[in-house]
């Protein structure tokens, strides 16, 4: 799940990622703001799900993917869409 909170008086929106990859030990979100090197490490919860938050600029569009266990790349079907990347696969989109 992707939850967006848009603030009327601020120049950014809060985006919360909540995913259920029970088989994973680690989950990161990569690609936000064009950064494919340094991801947001999601915190594992007691129920096995992962969550994390980031502030992103209003009126922006970001490509992203989840990386599980530092090896497996997964798109988010609940994103705002998908776009073909330079490798011929797709990245998830989030639009604010």
């Amino acid at each position: 799940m992707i939850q967006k909170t848009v603030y009327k008086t601020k120049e950014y929106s809060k985006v919360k990622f909540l995913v259920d990859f029970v088989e994973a030990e680690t989950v990161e979100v990569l690609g936000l703001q064009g950064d494919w090197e340094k991801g947001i490490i999601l915190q594992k919860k007691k129920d096995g799900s992962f969550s994390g938050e980031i502030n992103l600029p209003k009126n922006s569009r970001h490509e992203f993917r989840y990386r599980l266990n530092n090896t497996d790349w997964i798109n988010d079907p609940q994103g705002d869409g998908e776009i073909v990347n330079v490798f011929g696969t797709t990245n998830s989109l989030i639009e604010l």
Side-chain angles (χ1 to χ4, degrees), residues 2 4 15 17 28-40 54 56-57 59-67 73-76 78-96:
I2 300 172
K4 303 174 202 174
V15 179
F17 296 92
E28 299 173 85
V29 181
L30 289 119
L32 297 171
Q33 300 188 54
D35 190 349
W36 292 95
E37 298 296 322
K38 183 180 176 189
I40 299 168
I54 186 172
L56 294 172
N59 303 314
S60 61
R61 181 178 178 179
H62 304 270
E63 296 181 31
F64 74 96
R65 294 186 89 184
Y66 298 110
R67 184 168 62 185
W73 293 86
I74 307 288
N75 282 348
D76 192 328
Q78 296 180 352
D80 295 324
E82 291 187 350
I83 189 167
V84 177
N85 61 34
V86 297
F87 301 105
T89 58
T90 58
N91 296 334
S92 296
L93 285 175
I94 187 166
E95 296 178 312
L96 301 167

Side-chain angles (χ1 to χ4, degrees), residues 8-21:
K8 291 181 181 180
T9 60
K10 298 182 180 174
E11 294 299 316
Y12 63 86
S13 298
K14 180 171 69 172
V15 179
K16 181 176 183 177
F17 296 92
L18 180 62
V19 294
D20 190 18
F21 297 119

Side-chain angles (χ1 to χ4, degrees), residues 13 22 27 38 49 51 57 62:
S13 298
V22 179
V27 177
K38 183 180 176 189
S49 65
S51 68
H62 304 270

